[in-house]
Amino acid sequence: MTKKQRALEVISRLKEEYPDAGCTLDYDQAWKLLVSVRLAAQCTDARVNIVVEDLYKKYPDVDALADADVDDIEAIVRPCGLGRSKARDISACMKMIRDEYGGKVPDDFDALLKLPGVGRKSANLIMGDVFGKPAIVTDTHCIRLVNRIGLVDGIKEPKKVEMALWKIIPPEEGSDLCHRLVYHGRDVCTARTKPHCDKCCLADICKKNGV
């Protein structure tokens, strides 16, 4: 089985297993997803979803958050960890969106990368979830699972994993596949316990099992 064949089979099976999988960060506007994904670094999505409620209650739009004092942002987002750097990035990012993009999050990948605190993972998430464009989000679940399954061979650096996956995954499937890998990584192919291979829909095509 080639990597491309394996990838297509993984896509098909995970689609059946998690038909409704989507982003686990709550948002209803593009700028809110940008804020949440920055806060999610070294923090659970569940905690971020709780913390941002207070943030958006006090600062309900891009302008309000851009004008907010960094100390006030930090006080609210501190439960997510790394509060100072995250608050600085969020403030600078909202100012740039307000001043350079008229309050609208750009739908261009390279433009997104220029925003403070936005890396390839965040930019891909925005491109895929907000704008419906081809995207591959190489978070920790994605990197762990594609190595175990055998879609990549011992590659741990996020950008290299992303580039390898682009070669074998149909562009229109990338974003949804990455969301499904998150679900599968949390429920079955876990990181901190032994993977539950006995209930894995990919067990018979997984490289970890010698296939």
Side-chain angles (χ1 to χ4, degrees), residues 27-197:
Y27 71 97
D28 56 10
Q29 296 178 67
W31 68 272
K32 290 183 178 180
L33 182 55
L34 264 182
V35 170
S36 289
V37 75
R38 180 66 187 95
L39 292 176
Q42 299 180 41
C43 181
T44 65
D45 290 359
R47 181 183 290 272
V48 171
N49 289 338
I50 293 169
V51 169
V52 292
E53 286 185 18
D54 290 336
L55 186 66
Y56 301 149
K57 199 177 294 179
K58 189 168 184 180
Y59 307 110
D61 53 41
V62 170
D63 287 349
L65 198 48
D67 288 335
D69 189 285
V70 174
D71 290 340
D72 292 339
I73 297 174
E74 182 186 358
I76 296 172
V77 305
R78 191 175 291 122
C80 294
L82 305 174
R84 189 65 185 168
S85 63
K86 290 180 179 180
R88 277 201 306 262
D89 283 345
I90 289 168
S91 175
C93 183
M94 293 302 112
K95 282 182 168 67
M96 195 165 171
I97 290 173
R98 178 194 64 191
D99 298 340
E100 297 189 25
Y101 297 103
K104 303 289 185 186
V105 175
D107 63 353
D108 175 80
F109 188 79
D110 291 330
L112 287 169
L113 286 180
K114 291 175 183 174
L115 295 172
V118 176
R120 295 189 68 86
K121 184 178 79 170
S122 305
N124 270 302
L125 185 66
I126 296 290
M127 292 298 283
D129 278 40
V130 175
F131 300 116
K133 296 187 177 184
I136 291 178
V137 181
T138 49
D139 67 356
T140 54
H141 291 292
C142 173
I143 293 169
R144 182 176 76 255
L145 268 64
V146 297
N147 273 281
R148 280 182 182 171
I149 295 164
L151 300 186
V152 302
D153 298 316
I155 307 173
K156 299 297 171 67
E157 204 271 303
K159 184 177 179 180
K160 290 181 180 177
V161 172
E162 180 192 334
M163 294 302 118
L165 292 177
W166 277 120
K167 295 175 183 176
I168 60 173
I169 292 172
E172 68 277 8
E173 297 286 356
S175 181
D176 287 341
L177 171 62
C178 292
H179 287 317
R180 293 185 174 109
L181 288 172
V182 170
Y183 280 67
H184 198 62
R186 287 176 179 169
D187 298 341
V188 180
C189 198
T190 51
R192 296 185 182 181
T193 63
K194 190 177 177 183
H196 305 293
C197 299

Side-chain angles (χ1 to χ4, degrees), residues 9-21 180 201:
E9 188 61 28
V10 168
I11 288 167
S12 174
R13 293 189 188 190
L14 291 183
K15 197 176 285 189
E16 196 170 316
E17 194 79 4
Y18 309 98
D20 302 318
R180 293 185 174 109
C201 64

